[in-house]
Amino acid sequence: MRKRAEPGHREHDSFGAAPLDRECRLKNLRIPGSKGTKGHYPQDSDCDSKGMKRFSSCPSHDLYTRYSNPTRTTPTTTTICDILHLLPPTRLLLCCSPSMEYPPPNSTSIRRYGLWSRFRMFLIALVGLYIAIPFLVKICPAIQAQLVFLNLVRFPYFIDLKRPQDQGLNHTCNFYLQPEEDASIGVWHTLPAVLWKEAQGKDQAWYEEVMSTNYPVVLYLHGNAGTRGGDHRVQLYKVLSSMGYHVISFDYRGWGDSVGSPSETGMTYDALHVFDWIKARSGDNPVYIWGHSLGTGVATNLVRRLCERETPPDSLILESPFTNIREEAKSHPFSVIYRYFPGFDWFFLDPITASGIKFANDENVKYISCPLLILHAEDDPVIPFHLGRKLYNIAAPARSFRDFKVQFVPFHKDLGYRHKYIYRSPELRQILRDFFGSTEQQ
């Protein structure tokens, strides 16, 4: 077994302790040789008469080594480059030349550091934005109002609202009403499907005259975002038209091609104006009001006002309703990331109220005196099902509904109707016939 060398006799230990002069030379360094004390220093036949030898291994320094006597055991001066030829690779010192280039850093490490630096800056910016948004909403309540209405989101895009036939409604007339001086609203009048042949090529006057015939009328109040030409809305028009109803739909001021600034008061007044327009042309035919999503808030505002002036509609249908806008905003999926933020109500809900937006369905139903039908899907991700059930529980025992039918129809989550696809239900037609039939008897 090889005996471990003693610490005091390690090879080349004297090198680290040798002093350096200004020319990077090691003074009084004893270089270990191969045998004894003689021959410790290199001999070369090319040495000049003065005992000087030029080493070609380090030409950049032009260093010379002086040997006063080849037989001497101690040199006067020895360069570092001399030593480098004798040391093993693991002990080489990279100090021979000040201009020596070090190995470049690992490119993979540089790339990882760059990615981490960018990711860290992204996280800092994200956290800063997360904290800044509540303050922006609080300072500018108009931002929160826009988030409630989403009237600037015109989906689907690139459709001509003046041409409802492009959406498959070839028995629909487009026209405009002016509820106020600075407001104009676009309206679609879809006839019962049985009249579609007669409707070809007819003008608005003919459509208005047909409203007095023996067909009920449904006033449809859509929710936020989009226009009266939204696909799920058009599909509902077709269902109601196939059942023999006139369907009147419109865009509130600020939506679609309607002119004006959106507000809860303005939306309610637009709906009231359209209702009065319908009643002036529908004769004794039943008029039903259908509200969906945010439109349920407009619908209960409208019906409450109609009941107060003693001209209630024949029925009210609320599809995917909520109790009030504060509870809906708190339950909306957009609020999930801020729901537990300190001061959530103060930052997000109070600005809504400060903007005059309430849509208090839970208060309105206490003053409504007409039949009420509530439709809600259990898998609704926008307005949770429990809000629709809660509204029904408030309305059912209300004294105003004492003489009228109040019905709640849930749709199982496995059906996948979510927030806006209840029109796909095969049972919807029968549900409406049964409800409207019972209300006509009342």
Side-chain angles (χ1 to χ4, degrees), residues 264 268 296-305 307-308 316 318 322-324 358-369 372 391 394-395 398 400-401:
E264 180 177 356
T268 303
T296 62
V298 181
T300 59
N301 283 346
L302 170 62
V303 176
R304 176 177 178 176
R305 182 173 297 188
C307 292
E308 288 174 351
L316 172 62
L318 301 178
F322 51 89
T323 49
N324 57 71
K358 298 180 180 178
F359 292 113
N361 291 337
D362 50 355
E363 289 296 322
N364 290 335
V365 293
K366 299 175 183 178
Y367 300 92
I368 291 176
S369 54
L372 172 63
L391 182 63
I394 294 172
S400 59
F401 288 105

Side-chain angles (χ1 to χ4, degrees), residues 284-399:
D284 295 330
N285 295 324
V287 178
Y288 309 126
I289 295 177
W290 186 307
H292 171 245
S293 191
L294 186 66
T296 62
V298 181
T300 59
N301 283 346
L302 170 62
V303 176
R304 176 177 178 176
R305 182 173 297 188
L306 294 176
C307 292
E308 288 174 351
R309 74 177 194 183
E310 299 182 353
T311 58
D314 291 272
S315 288
L316 172 62
I317 303 95
L318 301 178
E319 179 188 356
S320 305
F322 51 89
T323 49
N324 57 71
I325 197 63
R326 289 179 69 94
E327 289 193 8
E328 159 54 14
K330 188 178 294 187
S331 303
H332 198 279
F334 287 167
S335 69
V336 171
I337 59 175
Y338 285 106
R339 195 168 297 166
Y340 303 103
F341 190 86
F344 175 82
D345 288 9
W346 187 78
F347 277 113
F348 292 97
L349 303 185
D350 290 349
I352 298 178
T353 307
S355 300
I357 305 173
K358 298 180 180 178
F359 292 113
N361 291 337
D362 50 355
E363 289 296 322
N364 290 335
V365 293
K366 299 175 183 178
Y367 300 92
I368 291 176
S369 54
C370 71
L372 172 63
L373 172 64
I374 297 177
L375 309 172
H376 213 138
E378 293 178 352
D379 59 337
D380 190 331
V382 179
I383 300 179
F385 177 78
H386 71 86
L387 292 183
R389 173 71 74 176
K390 182 177 180 180
L391 182 63
Y392 169 75
N393 292 335
I394 294 172
R399 295 180 60 184

Side-chain angles (χ1 to χ4, degrees), residues 97-168:
S97 173
S99 61
M100 181 176 292
E101 296 183 0
Y102 290 91
N106 192 318
S107 59
T108 303
S109 300
I110 295 176
R111 190 180 302 111
R112 287 177 180 174
Y113 179 79
L115 291 175
W116 166 245
S117 179
R118 294 191 190 97
F119 181 68
R120 183 176 59 186
M121 293 302 297
F122 173 75
L123 286 180
I124 293 173
L126 193 64
V127 171
L129 181 63
Y130 176 80
I131 297 174
I133 286 178
F135 291 94
L136 289 175
V137 172
K138 185 64 180 179
I139 295 171
C140 304
I143 297 176
Q144 188 69 312
Q146 285 296 324
L147 293 175
V148 172
F149 296 136
L150 292 178
N151 58 298
L152 299 180
V153 180
R154 286 196 56 176
F155 185 82
Y157 300 99
F158 311 116
I159 68 170
D160 187 357
L161 294 174
K162 295 183 175 68
R163 294 177 53 82
Q165 58 269 29
D166 293 345
Q167 308 305 311

Side-chain angles (χ1 to χ4, degrees), residues 57-321:
S57 61
C58 192
S60 63
H61 290 280
D62 196 19
L63 301 174
Y64 289 85
T65 306
R66 177 184 176 86
Y67 301 93
S68 59
N69 189 335
T71 62
R72 291 181 59 182
T73 60
T74 304
T76 57
T77 305
T78 304
T79 63
I80 294 178
C81 293
D82 298 339
I83 307 303
L84 296 178
H85 290 283
L86 301 176
L87 292 176
T90 58
R91 300 296 300 271
L92 290 179
L93 300 178
L94 300 177
C95 61
C96 180
S97 173
S99 61
M100 181 176 292
E101 296 183 0
Y102 290 91
N106 192 318
S107 59
T108 303
S109 300
I110 295 176
R111 190 180 302 111
R112 287 177 180 174
Y113 179 79
L115 291 175
W116 166 245
S117 179
R118 294 191 190 97
F119 181 68
R120 183 176 59 186
M121 293 302 297
F122 173 75
L123 286 180
I124 293 173
L126 193 64
V127 171
L129 181 63
Y130 176 80
I131 297 174
I133 286 178
F135 291 94
L136 289 175
V137 172
K138 185 64 180 179
I139 295 171
C140 304
I143 297 176
Q144 188 69 312
Q146 285 296 324
L147 293 175
V148 172
F149 296 136
L150 292 178
N151 58 298
L152 299 180
V153 180
R154 286 196 56 176
F155 185 82
Y157 300 99
F158 311 116
I159 68 170
D160 187 357
L161 294 174
K162 295 183 175 68
R163 294 177 53 82
Q165 58 269 29
D166 293 345
Q167 308 305 311
L169 299 173
N170 55 3
H171 52 304
T172 299
C173 174
N174 177 75
F175 59 95
Y176 297 89
L177 298 175
Q178 191 170 8
E180 292 180 328
E181 234 179 87
D182 58 346
S184 173
I185 56 177
V187 186
W188 280 358
H189 176 191
T190 302
L191 296 175
V194 295
L195 301 176
W196 77 269
K197 287 185 178 180
E198 300 177 43
Q200 304 309 306
K202 299 297 192 300
D203 57 7
Q204 181 183 344
W206 183 85
Y207 274 76
E208 293 182 14
E209 183 179 351
V210 172
M211 286 186 66
S212 60
T213 57
N214 191 26
Y215 295 101
V217 182
V218 175
L219 171 59
Y220 181 78
L221 306 173
H222 68 68
N224 66 352
T227 66
R228 61 188 184 275
D231 182 66
H232 65 282
R233 295 161 186 166
V234 170
Q235 297 305 320
L236 180 62
Y237 307 159
K238 292 179 179 179
V239 171
L240 297 175
S241 174
S242 67
M243 295 179 63
Y245 301 125
H246 292 274
V247 182
I248 306 296
S249 60
F250 70 96
D251 283 323
Y252 317 104
R253 60 185 74 188
W255 273 262
D257 56 355
S258 299
V259 178
S261 298
S263 66
E264 180 177 356
T265 302
M267 296 165 69
T268 303
Y269 190 79
D270 292 344
L272 179 62
H273 184 78
V274 176
F275 179 84
D276 290 339
W277 182 88
I278 293 172
K279 289 297 289 184
R281 291 159 178 80
S282 61
D284 295 330
N285 295 324
V287 178
Y288 309 126
I289 295 177
W290 186 307
H292 171 245
S293 191
L294 186 66
T296 62
V298 181
T300 59
N301 283 346
L302 170 62
V303 176
R304 176 177 178 176
R305 182 173 297 188
L306 294 176
C307 292
E308 288 174 351
R309 74 177 194 183
E310 299 182 353
T311 58
D314 291 272
S315 288
L316 172 62
I317 303 95
L318 301 178
E319 179 188 356
S320 305

